[in-house]
Amino acid sequence: MADKTILIVDDEAPIREMIAVALEMAGYRCLEAENTQQAHASIIDAKPDLILLDWMLPGTTGIELARRLKRDELTSDIPIIMLTAKGEEDNKIQGLEVGADDYITKPFSPRELVARLKAVLRRAGPVDEEAPIEVDGLHLDPVSHRVTIDGAPAEIGPTEYRLLQFFMTHQERAYTRGQLLDQVWGGNVYVEERTVDVHIRRLRKALGSTYDGLVQTVRGTGYRFSTKG
């Protein structure tokens, strides 16, 4: 994890410096850019492992750069965390919809930033699709397609199973209903977004009162699977 290169894109030098110091202390290599032109050149030259991208940049905005990077197959797999001074829900949703992997609202502590960055890098790493996944007493076995709760088999439908598998392999990140439809149902299937709510309700019921709190509603955004309250 510590040999990773992080590109910090922010037009304010003191913020770039504060982030760089925190990341270098945590063992990361840092590159810096003050606008999207510099950022794009660094991305092509150095192919960083993750991009911390400020929402508001002079000229081309961070959100426009994120959209461009996610459309290009050479850069689409680079994780992006949006840095935003705005706490409004619609900005967060817009960031997630263009493909950002997470967002963090300024002001933030360096410790929080490093923790979020580690979580995104962990998610972006290769996933062993056949390895069983366990969260507390909740156990999912991708080979046998079985879910057990505290050792007892769970009654769970096929869509709820896929939803749970996606959540357990992508923890601690908020997903919009549209993203869940793409990931779980597949982009070619026409399903209304409210269908997601129905299956989330069924999944929570299947998990029972001990574990239904792992599937959290994120107001104004969608859902997140988290072991944190």
PDB file of all heavy atoms in Angstrom, residues 161-196:
ATOM      1  N   TYR A 161     -28.893 -11.851  -3.014  1.00  0.00           N
ATOM      2  CA  TYR A 161     -27.557 -12.447  -2.900  1.00  0.00           C
ATOM      3  C   TYR A 161     -26.534 -11.603  -3.682  1.00  0.00           C
ATOM      4  O   TYR A 161     -25.465 -11.269  -3.171  1.00  0.00           O
ATOM      5  CB  TYR A 161     -27.552 -13.893  -3.426  1.00  0.00           C
ATOM      6  CG  TYR A 161     -26.160 -14.479  -3.477  1.00  0.00           C
ATOM      7  CD1 TYR A 161     -25.607 -15.106  -2.368  1.00  0.00           C
ATOM      8  CD2 TYR A 161     -25.368 -14.357  -4.628  1.00  0.00           C
ATOM      9  CE1 TYR A 161     -24.302 -15.613  -2.403  1.00  0.00           C
ATOM     10  CE2 TYR A 161     -24.071 -14.852  -4.663  1.00  0.00           C
ATOM     11  CZ  TYR A 161     -23.549 -15.476  -3.548  1.00  0.00           C
ATOM     12  OH  TYR A 161     -22.261 -15.952  -3.586  1.00  0.00           O
ATOM     13  N   ARG A 162     -26.881 -11.256  -4.928  1.00  0.00           N
ATOM     14  CA  ARG A 162     -25.943 -10.453  -5.749  1.00  0.00           C
ATOM     15  C   ARG A 162     -25.704  -9.079  -5.119  1.00  0.00           C
ATOM     16  O   ARG A 162     -24.598  -8.551  -5.144  1.00  0.00           O
ATOM     17  CB  ARG A 162     -26.488 -10.298  -7.179  1.00  0.00           C
ATOM     18  CG  ARG A 162     -26.475 -11.575  -7.993  1.00  0.00           C
ATOM     19  CD  ARG A 162     -26.590 -11.310  -9.484  1.00  0.00           C
ATOM     20  NE  ARG A 162     -27.703 -10.452  -9.846  1.00  0.00           N
ATOM     21  CZ  ARG A 162     -28.950 -10.873 -10.071  1.00  0.00           C
ATOM     22  NH1 ARG A 162     -29.234 -12.160  -9.945  1.00  0.00           N
ATOM     23  NH2 ARG A 162     -29.890 -10.022 -10.414  1.00  0.00           N
ATOM     24  N   LEU A 163     -26.759  -8.503  -4.586  1.00  0.00           N
ATOM     25  CA  LEU A 163     -26.654  -7.197  -3.923  1.00  0.00           C
ATOM     26  C   LEU A 163     -25.723  -7.301  -2.717  1.00  0.00           C
ATOM     27  O   LEU A 163     -24.821  -6.473  -2.531  1.00  0.00           O
ATOM     28  CB  LEU A 163     -28.065  -6.776  -3.483  1.00  0.00           C
ATOM     29  CG  LEU A 163     -28.407  -5.321  -3.204  1.00  0.00           C
ATOM     30  CD1 LEU A 163     -27.959  -4.397  -4.327  1.00  0.00           C
ATOM     31  CD2 LEU A 163     -29.911  -5.178  -2.980  1.00  0.00           C
ATOM     32  N   LEU A 164     -25.916  -8.351  -1.915  1.00  0.00           N
ATOM     33  CA  LEU A 164     -25.078  -8.543  -0.729  1.00  0.00           C
ATOM     34  C   LEU A 164     -23.625  -8.798  -1.117  1.00  0.00           C
ATOM     35  O   LEU A 164     -22.702  -8.248  -0.505  1.00  0.00           O
ATOM     36  CB  LEU A 164     -25.617  -9.714   0.107  1.00  0.00           C
ATOM     37  CG  LEU A 164     -24.838 -10.015   1.397  1.00  0.00           C
ATOM     38  CD1 LEU A 164     -24.871  -8.829   2.351  1.00  0.00           C
ATOM     39  CD2 LEU A 164     -25.392 -11.264   2.080  1.00  0.00           C
ATOM     40  N   GLN A 165     -23.409  -9.607  -2.156  1.00  0.00           N
ATOM     41  CA  GLN A 165     -22.037  -9.884  -2.594  1.00  0.00           C
ATOM     42  C   GLN A 165     -21.354  -8.599  -3.056  1.00  0.00           C
ATOM     43  O   GLN A 165     -20.191  -8.334  -2.725  1.00  0.00           O
ATOM     44  CB  GLN A 165     -22.028 -10.919  -3.718  1.00  0.00           C
ATOM     45  CG  GLN A 165     -20.613 -11.316  -4.135  1.00  0.00           C
ATOM     46  CD  GLN A 165     -20.590 -12.377  -5.211  1.00  0.00           C
ATOM     47  OE1 GLN A 165     -21.573 -12.601  -5.921  1.00  0.00           O
ATOM     48  NE2 GLN A 165     -19.467 -13.061  -5.348  1.00  0.00           N
ATOM     49  N   PHE A 166     -22.080  -7.768  -3.808  1.00  0.00           N
ATOM     50  CA  PHE A 166     -21.506  -6.493  -4.262  1.00  0.00           C
ATOM     51  C   PHE A 166     -21.167  -5.614  -3.063  1.00  0.00           C
ATOM     52  O   PHE A 166     -20.069  -5.054  -2.965  1.00  0.00           O
ATOM     53  CB  PHE A 166     -22.464  -5.761  -5.206  1.00  0.00           C
ATOM     54  CG  PHE A 166     -21.936  -4.424  -5.638  1.00  0.00           C
ATOM     55  CD1 PHE A 166     -20.895  -4.331  -6.555  1.00  0.00           C
ATOM     56  CD2 PHE A 166     -22.435  -3.248  -5.091  1.00  0.00           C
ATOM     57  CE1 PHE A 166     -20.366  -3.090  -6.930  1.00  0.00           C
ATOM     58  CE2 PHE A 166     -21.925  -2.014  -5.465  1.00  0.00           C
ATOM     59  CZ  PHE A 166     -20.895  -1.936  -6.379  1.00  0.00           C
ATOM     60  N   PHE A 167     -22.108  -5.499  -2.116  1.00  0.00           N
ATOM     61  CA  PHE A 167     -21.875  -4.663  -0.937  1.00  0.00           C
ATOM     62  C   PHE A 167     -20.681  -5.167  -0.120  1.00  0.00           C
ATOM     63  O   PHE A 167     -19.842  -4.388   0.317  1.00  0.00           O
ATOM     64  CB  PHE A 167     -23.114  -4.652  -0.037  1.00  0.00           C
ATOM     65  CG  PHE A 167     -24.145  -3.630  -0.406  1.00  0.00           C
ATOM     66  CD1 PHE A 167     -25.506  -3.935  -0.333  1.00  0.00           C
ATOM     67  CD2 PHE A 167     -23.792  -2.351  -0.787  1.00  0.00           C
ATOM     68  CE1 PHE A 167     -26.469  -2.992  -0.652  1.00  0.00           C
ATOM     69  CE2 PHE A 167     -24.737  -1.388  -1.110  1.00  0.00           C
ATOM     70  CZ  PHE A 167     -26.090  -1.718  -1.040  1.00  0.00           C
ATOM     71  N   MET A 168     -20.592  -6.478   0.082  1.00  0.00           N
ATOM     72  CA  MET A 168     -19.524  -7.018   0.938  1.00  0.00           C
ATOM     73  C   MET A 168     -18.145  -6.888   0.294  1.00  0.00           C
ATOM     74  O   MET A 168     -17.135  -6.858   0.991  1.00  0.00           O
ATOM     75  CB  MET A 168     -19.812  -8.482   1.295  1.00  0.00           C
ATOM     76  CG  MET A 168     -20.980  -8.623   2.263  1.00  0.00           C
ATOM     77  SD  MET A 168     -21.335 -10.345   2.716  1.00  0.00           S
ATOM     78  CE  MET A 168     -20.096 -10.655   3.984  1.00  0.00           C
ATOM     79  N   THR A 169     -18.093  -6.808  -1.038  1.00  0.00           N
ATOM     80  CA  THR A 169     -16.802  -6.606  -1.717  1.00  0.00           C
ATOM     81  C   THR A 169     -16.533  -5.127  -2.004  1.00  0.00           C
ATOM     82  O   THR A 169     -15.494  -4.776  -2.553  1.00  0.00           O
ATOM     83  CB  THR A 169     -16.733  -7.406  -3.037  1.00  0.00           C
ATOM     84  OG1 THR A 169     -17.878  -7.112  -3.834  1.00  0.00           O
ATOM     85  CG2 THR A 169     -16.672  -8.902  -2.778  1.00  0.00           C
ATOM     86  N   HIS A 170     -17.475  -4.254  -1.667  1.00  0.00           N
ATOM     87  CA  HIS A 170     -17.305  -2.802  -1.875  1.00  0.00           C
ATOM     88  C   HIS A 170     -17.809  -2.063  -0.632  1.00  0.00           C
ATOM     89  O   HIS A 170     -18.757  -1.285  -0.701  1.00  0.00           O
ATOM     90  CB  HIS A 170     -18.071  -2.334  -3.118  1.00  0.00           C
ATOM     91  CG  HIS A 170     -17.608  -2.958  -4.388  1.00  0.00           C
ATOM     92  ND1 HIS A 170     -17.982  -4.229  -4.768  1.00  0.00           N
ATOM     93  CD2 HIS A 170     -16.789  -2.487  -5.357  1.00  0.00           C
ATOM     94  CE1 HIS A 170     -17.410  -4.516  -5.929  1.00  0.00           C
ATOM     95  NE2 HIS A 170     -16.677  -3.498  -6.291  1.00  0.00           N
ATOM     96  N   GLN A 171     -17.163  -2.326   0.491  1.00  0.00           N
ATOM     97  CA  GLN A 171     -17.629  -1.755   1.755  1.00  0.00           C
ATOM     98  C   GLN A 171     -17.224  -0.295   1.928  1.00  0.00           C
ATOM     99  O   GLN A 171     -16.279   0.176   1.298  1.00  0.00           O
ATOM    100  CB  GLN A 171     -17.062  -2.579   2.925  1.00  0.00           C
ATOM    101  CG  GLN A 171     -17.544  -4.018   2.937  1.00  0.00           C
ATOM    102  CD  GLN A 171     -16.961  -4.805   4.095  1.00  0.00           C
ATOM    103  OE1 GLN A 171     -16.763  -4.280   5.187  1.00  0.00           O
ATOM    104  NE2 GLN A 171     -16.679  -6.084   3.867  1.00  0.00           N
ATOM    105  N   GLU A 172     -17.982   0.403   2.772  1.00  0.00           N
ATOM    106  CA  GLU A 172     -17.676   1.775   3.234  1.00  0.00           C
ATOM    107  C   GLU A 172     -17.769   2.828   2.140  1.00  0.00           C
ATOM    108  O   GLU A 172     -17.183   3.888   2.255  1.00  0.00           O
ATOM    109  CB  GLU A 172     -16.277   1.849   3.896  1.00  0.00           C
ATOM    110  CG  GLU A 172     -16.046   0.862   5.015  1.00  0.00           C
ATOM    111  CD  GLU A 172     -16.996   1.036   6.198  1.00  0.00           C
ATOM    112  OE1 GLU A 172     -17.576   2.124   6.352  1.00  0.00           O
ATOM    113  OE2 GLU A 172     -17.168   0.060   6.946  1.00  0.00           O
ATOM    114  N   ARG A 173     -18.494   2.539   1.067  1.00  0.00           N
ATOM    115  CA  ARG A 173     -18.665   3.563   0.041  1.00  0.00           C
ATOM    116  C   ARG A 173     -20.137   3.713  -0.279  1.00  0.00           C
ATOM    117  O   ARG A 173     -20.855   2.723  -0.362  1.00  0.00           O
ATOM    118  CB  ARG A 173     -17.915   3.152  -1.229  1.00  0.00           C
ATOM    119  CG  ARG A 173     -18.241   4.141  -2.331  1.00  0.00           C
ATOM    120  CD  ARG A 173     -17.736   3.815  -3.685  1.00  0.00           C
ATOM    121  NE  ARG A 173     -18.512   4.611  -4.642  1.00  0.00           N
ATOM    122  CZ  ARG A 173     -18.301   4.682  -5.912  1.00  0.00           C
ATOM    123  NH1 ARG A 173     -17.330   4.006  -6.446  1.00  0.00           N
ATOM    124  NH2 ARG A 173     -19.049   5.423  -6.688  1.00  0.00           N
ATOM    125  N   ALA A 174     -20.597   4.953  -0.433  1.00  0.00           N
ATOM    126  CA  ALA A 174     -21.998   5.196  -0.801  1.00  0.00           C
ATOM    127  C   ALA A 174     -22.187   4.996  -2.306  1.00  0.00           C
ATOM    128  O   ALA A 174     -21.362   5.446  -3.099  1.00  0.00           O
ATOM    129  CB  ALA A 174     -22.389   6.622  -0.413  1.00  0.00           C
ATOM    130  N   TYR A 175     -23.257   4.312  -2.669  1.00  0.00           N
ATOM    131  CA  TYR A 175     -23.604   4.099  -4.079  1.00  0.00           C
ATOM    132  C   TYR A 175     -24.984   4.660  -4.355  1.00  0.00           C
ATOM    133  O   TYR A 175     -25.903   4.501  -3.541  1.00  0.00           O
ATOM    134  CB  TYR A 175     -23.604   2.598  -4.436  1.00  0.00           C
ATOM    135  CG  TYR A 175     -22.214   2.023  -4.516  1.00  0.00           C
ATOM    136  CD1 TYR A 175     -21.620   1.461  -3.392  1.00  0.00           C
ATOM    137  CD2 TYR A 175     -21.479   2.076  -5.693  1.00  0.00           C
ATOM    138  CE1 TYR A 175     -20.328   0.960  -3.449  1.00  0.00           C
ATOM    139  CE2 TYR A 175     -20.188   1.574  -5.757  1.00  0.00           C
ATOM    140  CZ  TYR A 175     -19.621   1.017  -4.633  1.00  0.00           C
ATOM    141  OH  TYR A 175     -18.342   0.532  -4.687  1.00  0.00           O
ATOM    142  N   THR A 176     -25.141   5.313  -5.497  1.00  0.00           N
ATOM    143  CA  THR A 176     -26.468   5.764  -5.899  1.00  0.00           C
ATOM    144  C   THR A 176     -27.278   4.552  -6.367  1.00  0.00           C
ATOM    145  O   THR A 176     -26.715   3.497  -6.689  1.00  0.00           O
ATOM    146  CB  THR A 176     -26.387   6.777  -7.065  1.00  0.00           C
ATOM    147  OG1 THR A 176     -25.870   6.099  -8.227  1.00  0.00           O
ATOM    148  CG2 THR A 176     -25.483   7.955  -6.729  1.00  0.00           C
ATOM    149  N   ARG A 177     -28.595   4.718  -6.432  1.00  0.00           N
ATOM    150  CA  ARG A 177     -29.445   3.624  -6.930  1.00  0.00           C
ATOM    151  C   ARG A 177     -29.055   3.254  -8.360  1.00  0.00           C
ATOM    152  O   ARG A 177     -29.038   2.082  -8.724  1.00  0.00           O
ATOM    153  CB  ARG A 177     -30.923   4.022  -6.859  1.00  0.00           C
ATOM    154  CG  ARG A 177     -31.451   4.086  -5.430  1.00  0.00           C
ATOM    155  CD  ARG A 177     -32.792   4.819  -5.359  1.00  0.00           C
ATOM    156  NE  ARG A 177     -33.293   4.852  -3.992  1.00  0.00           N
ATOM    157  CZ  ARG A 177     -32.890   5.748  -3.087  1.00  0.00           C
ATOM    158  NH1 ARG A 177     -31.964   6.655  -3.401  1.00  0.00           N
ATOM    159  NH2 ARG A 177     -33.398   5.739  -1.860  1.00  0.00           N
ATOM    160  N   GLY A 178     -28.737   4.276  -9.165  1.00  0.00           N
ATOM    161  CA  GLY A 178     -28.341   4.024 -10.558  1.00  0.00           C
ATOM    162  C   GLY A 178     -27.080   3.183 -10.647  1.00  0.00           C
ATOM    163  O   GLY A 178     -26.977   2.272 -11.477  1.00  0.00           O
ATOM    164  N   GLN A 179     -26.112   3.456  -9.773  1.00  0.00           N
ATOM    165  CA  GLN A 179     -24.874   2.666  -9.774  1.00  0.00           C
ATOM    166  C   GLN A 179     -25.141   1.225  -9.352  1.00  0.00           C
ATOM    167  O   GLN A 179     -24.573   0.294  -9.916  1.00  0.00           O
ATOM    168  CB  GLN A 179     -23.851   3.303  -8.833  1.00  0.00           C
ATOM    169  CG  GLN A 179     -23.236   4.578  -9.395  1.00  0.00           C
ATOM    170  CD  GLN A 179     -22.334   5.247  -8.390  1.00  0.00           C
ATOM    171  OE1 GLN A 179     -22.658   5.352  -7.213  1.00  0.00           O
ATOM    172  NE2 GLN A 179     -21.181   5.705  -8.835  1.00  0.00           N
ATOM    173  N   LEU A 180     -26.015   1.047  -8.356  1.00  0.00           N
ATOM    174  CA  LEU A 180     -26.352  -0.313  -7.921  1.00  0.00           C
ATOM    175  C   LEU A 180     -27.067  -1.082  -9.033  1.00  0.00           C
ATOM    176  O   LEU A 180     -26.812  -2.272  -9.237  1.00  0.00           O
ATOM    177  CB  LEU A 180     -27.217  -0.270  -6.656  1.00  0.00           C
ATOM    178  CG  LEU A 180     -26.476   0.187  -5.386  1.00  0.00           C
ATOM    179  CD1 LEU A 180     -27.459   0.397  -4.245  1.00  0.00           C
ATOM    180  CD2 LEU A 180     -25.400  -0.813  -4.982  1.00  0.00           C
ATOM    181  N   LEU A 181     -27.937  -0.380  -9.769  1.00  0.00           N
ATOM    182  CA  LEU A 181     -28.607  -1.039 -10.907  1.00  0.00           C
ATOM    183  C   LEU A 181     -27.575  -1.519 -11.930  1.00  0.00           C
ATOM    184  O   LEU A 181     -27.646  -2.646 -12.417  1.00  0.00           O
ATOM    185  CB  LEU A 181     -29.599  -0.080 -11.580  1.00  0.00           C
ATOM    186  CG  LEU A 181     -30.930   0.143 -10.852  1.00  0.00           C
ATOM    187  CD1 LEU A 181     -31.743   1.221 -11.557  1.00  0.00           C
ATOM    188  CD2 LEU A 181     -31.740  -1.144 -10.773  1.00  0.00           C
ATOM    189  N   ASP A 182     -26.610  -0.653 -12.250  1.00  0.00           N
ATOM    190  CA  ASP A 182     -25.571  -1.021 -13.227  1.00  0.00           C
ATOM    191  C   ASP A 182     -24.748  -2.208 -12.737  1.00  0.00           C
ATOM    192  O   ASP A 182     -24.448  -3.127 -13.485  1.00  0.00           O
ATOM    193  CB  ASP A 182     -24.617   0.164 -13.482  1.00  0.00           C
ATOM    194  CG  ASP A 182     -25.257   1.225 -14.363  1.00  0.00           C
ATOM    195  OD1 ASP A 182     -26.307   0.930 -14.984  1.00  0.00           O
ATOM    196  OD2 ASP A 182     -24.734   2.343 -14.418  1.00  0.00           O
ATOM    197  N   GLN A 183     -24.369  -2.178 -11.459  1.00  0.00           N
ATOM    198  CA  GLN A 183     -23.449  -3.183 -10.921  1.00  0.00           C
ATOM    199  C   GLN A 183     -24.130  -4.520 -10.641  1.00  0.00           C
ATOM    200  O   GLN A 183     -23.536  -5.572 -10.836  1.00  0.00           O
ATOM    201  CB  GLN A 183     -22.808  -2.670  -9.618  1.00  0.00           C
ATOM    202  CG  GLN A 183     -21.952  -1.429  -9.786  1.00  0.00           C
ATOM    203  CD  GLN A 183     -20.628  -1.712 -10.462  1.00  0.00           C
ATOM    204  OE1 GLN A 183     -20.218  -2.849 -10.608  1.00  0.00           O
ATOM    205  NE2 GLN A 183     -19.955  -0.660 -10.904  1.00  0.00           N
ATOM    206  N   VAL A 184     -25.368  -4.480 -10.170  1.00  0.00           N
ATOM    207  CA  VAL A 184     -26.035  -5.699  -9.710  1.00  0.00           C
ATOM    208  C   VAL A 184     -26.989  -6.264 -10.763  1.00  0.00           C
ATOM    209  O   VAL A 184     -27.037  -7.465 -10.997  1.00  0.00           O
ATOM    210  CB  VAL A 184     -26.775  -5.437  -8.367  1.00  0.00           C
ATOM    211  CG1 VAL A 184     -27.548  -6.666  -7.912  1.00  0.00           C
ATOM    212  CG2 VAL A 184     -25.769  -4.998  -7.293  1.00  0.00           C
ATOM    213  N   TRP A 185     -27.739  -5.372 -11.422  1.00  0.00           N
ATOM    214  CA  TRP A 185     -28.694  -5.829 -12.432  1.00  0.00           C
ATOM    215  C   TRP A 185     -28.059  -5.869 -13.823  1.00  0.00           C
ATOM    216  O   TRP A 185     -28.506  -6.591 -14.687  1.00  0.00           O
ATOM    217  CB  TRP A 185     -29.927  -4.915 -12.459  1.00  0.00           C
ATOM    218  CG  TRP A 185     -30.928  -5.222 -11.396  1.00  0.00           C
ATOM    219  CD1 TRP A 185     -32.086  -5.936 -11.534  1.00  0.00           C
ATOM    220  CD2 TRP A 185     -30.892  -4.817 -10.019  1.00  0.00           C
ATOM    221  NE1 TRP A 185     -32.758  -6.001 -10.336  1.00  0.00           N
ATOM    222  CE2 TRP A 185     -32.046  -5.324  -9.383  1.00  0.00           C
ATOM    223  CE3 TRP A 185     -29.991  -4.088  -9.248  1.00  0.00           C
ATOM    224  CZ2 TRP A 185     -32.333  -5.121  -8.033  1.00  0.00           C
ATOM    225  CZ3 TRP A 185     -30.273  -3.882  -7.909  1.00  0.00           C
ATOM    226  CH2 TRP A 185     -31.419  -4.396  -7.313  1.00  0.00           C
ATOM    227  N   GLY A 186     -27.028  -5.039 -14.035  1.00  0.00           N
ATOM    228  CA  GLY A 186     -26.396  -4.951 -15.362  1.00  0.00           C
ATOM    229  C   GLY A 186     -26.956  -3.764 -16.115  1.00  0.00           C
ATOM    230  O   GLY A 186     -28.160  -3.474 -16.054  1.00  0.00           O
ATOM    231  N   GLY A 187     -26.085  -3.059 -16.822  1.00  0.00           N
ATOM    232  CA  GLY A 187     -26.464  -1.814 -17.499  1.00  0.00           C
ATOM    233  C   GLY A 187     -27.497  -1.971 -18.598  1.00  0.00           C
ATOM    234  O   GLY A 187     -28.147  -1.006 -18.981  1.00  0.00           O
ATOM    235  N   ASN A 188     -27.667  -3.176 -19.137  1.00  0.00           N
ATOM    236  CA  ASN A 188     -28.591  -3.342 -20.269  1.00  0.00           C
ATOM    237  C   ASN A 188     -30.030  -3.619 -19.843  1.00  0.00           C
ATOM    238  O   ASN A 188     -30.927  -3.678 -20.660  1.00  0.00           O
ATOM    239  CB  ASN A 188     -28.139  -4.531 -21.151  1.00  0.00           C
ATOM    240  CG  ASN A 188     -26.721  -4.328 -21.643  1.00  0.00           C
ATOM    241  OD1 ASN A 188     -26.325  -3.203 -21.887  1.00  0.00           O
ATOM    242  ND2 ASN A 188     -25.958  -5.393 -21.757  1.00  0.00           N
ATOM    243  N   VAL A 189     -30.230  -3.830 -18.539  1.00  0.00           N
ATOM    244  CA  VAL A 189     -31.563  -4.200 -18.067  1.00  0.00           C
ATOM    245  C   VAL A 189     -32.313  -2.941 -17.686  1.00  0.00           C
ATOM    246  O   VAL A 189     -31.785  -2.089 -16.974  1.00  0.00           O
ATOM    247  CB  VAL A 189     -31.451  -5.134 -16.833  1.00  0.00           C
ATOM    248  CG1 VAL A 189     -32.823  -5.545 -16.331  1.00  0.00           C
ATOM    249  CG2 VAL A 189     -30.624  -6.361 -17.173  1.00  0.00           C
ATOM    250  N   TYR A 190     -33.575  -2.825 -18.146  1.00  0.00           N
ATOM    251  CA  TYR A 190     -34.353  -1.653 -17.743  1.00  0.00           C
ATOM    252  C   TYR A 190     -35.114  -1.988 -16.462  1.00  0.00           C
ATOM    253  O   TYR A 190     -36.016  -2.822 -16.459  1.00  0.00           O
ATOM    254  CB  TYR A 190     -35.342  -1.209 -18.821  1.00  0.00           C
ATOM    255  CG  TYR A 190     -36.180  -0.047 -18.314  1.00  0.00           C
ATOM    256  CD1 TYR A 190     -35.599   1.220 -18.183  1.00  0.00           C
ATOM    257  CD2 TYR A 190     -37.485  -0.236 -17.883  1.00  0.00           C
ATOM    258  CE1 TYR A 190     -36.324   2.272 -17.665  1.00  0.00           C
ATOM    259  CE2 TYR A 190     -38.216   0.814 -17.357  1.00  0.00           C
ATOM    260  CZ  TYR A 190     -37.632   2.076 -17.249  1.00  0.00           C
ATOM    261  OH  TYR A 190     -38.341   3.122 -16.708  1.00  0.00           O
ATOM    262  N   VAL A 191     -34.695  -1.393 -15.379  1.00  0.00           N
ATOM    263  CA  VAL A 191     -35.368  -1.577 -14.089  1.00  0.00           C
ATOM    264  C   VAL A 191     -35.485  -0.192 -13.477  1.00  0.00           C
ATOM    265  O   VAL A 191     -34.541   0.601 -13.523  1.00  0.00           O
ATOM    266  CB  VAL A 191     -34.542  -2.492 -13.145  1.00  0.00           C
ATOM    267  CG1 VAL A 191     -35.289  -2.728 -11.842  1.00  0.00           C
ATOM    268  CG2 VAL A 191     -34.220  -3.822 -13.795  1.00  0.00           C
ATOM    269  N   GLU A 192     -36.627   0.120 -12.894  1.00  0.00           N
ATOM    270  CA  GLU A 192     -36.790   1.426 -12.249  1.00  0.00           C
ATOM    271  C   GLU A 192     -35.941   1.501 -10.982  1.00  0.00           C
ATOM    272  O   GLU A 192     -35.737   0.497 -10.304  1.00  0.00           O
ATOM    273  CB  GLU A 192     -38.270   1.654 -11.900  1.00  0.00           C
ATOM    274  CG  GLU A 192     -39.131   1.914 -13.120  1.00  0.00           C
ATOM    275  CD  GLU A 192     -40.514   2.397 -12.723  1.00  0.00           C
ATOM    276  OE1 GLU A 192     -40.682   2.871 -11.583  1.00  0.00           O
ATOM    277  OE2 GLU A 192     -41.424   2.296 -13.553  1.00  0.00           O
ATOM    278  N   GLU A 193     -35.495   2.716 -10.680  1.00  0.00           N
ATOM    279  CA  GLU A 193     -34.606   2.884  -9.529  1.00  0.00           C
ATOM    280  C   GLU A 193     -35.267   2.469  -8.218  1.00  0.00           C
ATOM    281  O   GLU A 193     -34.615   1.981  -7.316  1.00  0.00           O
ATOM    282  CB  GLU A 193     -34.103   4.326  -9.437  1.00  0.00           C
ATOM    283  CG  GLU A 193     -33.077   4.652 -10.519  1.00  0.00           C
ATOM    284  CD  GLU A 193     -32.260   5.902 -10.228  1.00  0.00           C
ATOM    285  OE1 GLU A 193     -32.562   6.578  -9.230  1.00  0.00           O
ATOM    286  OE2 GLU A 193     -31.334   6.189 -11.007  1.00  0.00           O
ATOM    287  N   ARG A 194     -36.596   2.644  -8.119  1.00  0.00           N
ATOM    288  CA  ARG A 194     -37.246   2.297  -6.850  1.00  0.00           C
ATOM    289  C   ARG A 194     -37.226   0.792  -6.592  1.00  0.00           C
ATOM    290  O   ARG A 194     -37.426   0.344  -5.461  1.00  0.00           O
ATOM    291  CB  ARG A 194     -38.676   2.853  -6.792  1.00  0.00           C
ATOM    292  CG  ARG A 194     -39.617   2.270  -7.807  1.00  0.00           C
ATOM    293  CD  ARG A 194     -41.024   2.837  -7.623  1.00  0.00           C
ATOM    294  NE  ARG A 194     -41.865   2.400  -8.727  1.00  0.00           N
ATOM    295  CZ  ARG A 194     -42.765   3.168  -9.314  1.00  0.00           C
ATOM    296  NH1 ARG A 194     -42.906   4.423  -8.952  1.00  0.00           N
ATOM    297  NH2 ARG A 194     -43.516   2.691 -10.293  1.00  0.00           N
ATOM    298  N   THR A 195     -36.977   0.003  -7.655  1.00  0.00           N
ATOM    299  CA  THR A 195     -36.824  -1.451  -7.479  1.00  0.00           C
ATOM    300  C   THR A 195     -35.676  -1.748  -6.517  1.00  0.00           C
ATOM    301  O   THR A 195     -35.723  -2.717  -5.762  1.00  0.00           O
ATOM    302  CB  THR A 195     -36.538  -2.125  -8.850  1.00  0.00           C
ATOM    303  OG1 THR A 195     -37.553  -1.748  -9.747  1.00  0.00           O
ATOM    304  CG2 THR A 195     -36.493  -3.632  -8.755  1.00  0.00           C
ATOM    305  N   VAL A 196     -34.630  -0.921  -6.563  1.00  0.00           N
ATOM    306  CA  VAL A 196     -33.488  -1.097  -5.667  1.00  0.00           C
ATOM    307  C   VAL A 196     -33.969  -1.054  -4.216  1.00  0.00           C
ATOM    308  O   VAL A 196     -33.567  -1.876  -3.388  1.00  0.00           O
ATOM    309  CB  VAL A 196     -32.411  -0.013  -5.910  1.00  0.00           C
ATOM    310  CG1 VAL A 196     -31.272  -0.135  -4.901  1.00  0.00           C
ATOM    311  CG2 VAL A 196     -31.868  -0.112  -7.330  1.00  0.00           C
TER     312      VAL A 196
END
